Amino acid sequence: DDLVKAGDDIYCEVMVTNTSDENTPALTCVVDDTRAGEVFNDILTGSETLNYSYPAPAGNGTIGNEVSVLCSIDGFANQVDDDASDSTDYFTPGVSITKSCDDLVKAGDDILCGVTITNTSTANTPALTCVATDSREGEIFNDVLVGSEVRNYSYTAPAGDGTVDNTVTVLCSIDGFANTVGDDASDSTDYFTPSIAVWKTGDTVSK
């Protein structure tokens, strides 16, 4: 594989070929992979294609991998060998979301909210397709996320007092991979209840 993230399986294909002359005695070969261990141990006739995988360890940047073959020659003390290597790049997908709403309202007012969704992945990460959902407004974004997206919207403050809470979540799929990444953010708005009272007193008797 050319590109993975930590925890994914790295799939490898190795071809081992007996390039000896036709009159060469049988070759018994052992193929070892630096990550997967022994992947072949048998008489090598013609070519063998080996497919296997191993889990990508935690890390970043590039993970190197080498395979070596060592063959003994039937009836002889000599050995022949070869090796090959390949590397796989890591990517790190990421997304962040922030939310800010009005601090103070009364029931029936519009609560104004702003949400920023940001693709925080490394540059070599495949495309992220993201869906952002607000607990009051519903779906506010559904698209490939490149850089940052800002969404501003409002909803009517329901009847009540105290505090009204609001949460937004984002969940992103990674192009070509089964994994997902996500984030969430919340903000709250306090209610106030305006009121006024008036009273009046005066003489109860007059002429």
Side-chain angles (χ1 to χ4, degrees):
D1 286 334
D2 293 326
L3 193 64
V4 298
K5 64 182 184 354
D8 287 346
D9 285 336
I10 297 178
Y11 293 90
C12 298
E13 182 176 278
V14 171
M15 180 175 287
V16 192
T17 303
N18 186 337
T19 60
S20 308
D21 295 333
E22 289 184 2
N23 61 348
T24 301
L27 299 186
T28 299
C29 300
V30 177
V31 179
D32 279 303
D33 184 278
T34 53
R35 301 285 179 176
E38 185 179 290
V39 293
F40 181 84
N41 189 339
D42 206 347
I43 293 174
L44 180 62
T45 304
S47 293
E48 291 284 343
T49 300
L50 312 172
N51 294 286
Y52 52 91
S53 65
Y54 61 91
N60 52 50
T62 299
I63 179 173
N65 179 274
E66 184 172 309
V67 65
S68 60
V69 57
L70 181 65
C71 302
S72 59
I73 306 167
D74 188 31
F76 293 81
N78 315 74
Q79 293 179 317
V80 291
D81 61 8
D82 196 17
D83 61 75
S85 61
D86 198 9
S87 61
T88 299
D89 292 331
Y90 280 98
F91 71 91
T92 305
V95 65
S96 69
I97 192 165
T98 60
K99 181 180 182 70
S100 179
C101 296
D102 286 339
D103 293 327
L104 193 63
V105 297
K106 66 182 189 306
D109 286 349
D110 283 339
I111 297 178
L112 305 178
C113 296
V115 169
T116 301
I117 314 162
T118 303
N119 186 336
T120 61
S121 308
T122 52
N124 61 345
T125 300
L128 298 187
T129 299
C130 301
V131 178
T133 305
D134 184 273
S135 59
R136 301 282 179 176
E137 184 70 7
E139 187 178 288
I140 59 171
F141 181 82
N142 188 341
D143 206 345
V144 174
L145 180 62
V146 180
S148 292
E149 290 284 341
V150 176
R151 291 292 184 270
N152 296 297
Y153 53 91
S154 65
Y155 64 94
T156 302
D161 54 26
T163 299
V164 57
D165 294 317
N166 181 277
T167 299
V168 64
T169 60
V170 60
L171 184 66
C172 304
S173 59
I174 306 165
D175 187 32
F177 292 81
N179 317 77
T180 58
V181 291
D183 195 21
D184 62 79
S186 60
D187 199 10
S188 60
T189 300
D190 293 330
Y191 280 99
F192 71 91
T193 305
S195 65
I196 189 170
V198 62
W199 61 274
K200 181 178 181 178
T201 184
D203 292 336
T204 56
V205 178
S206 66
K207 60 179 177 63

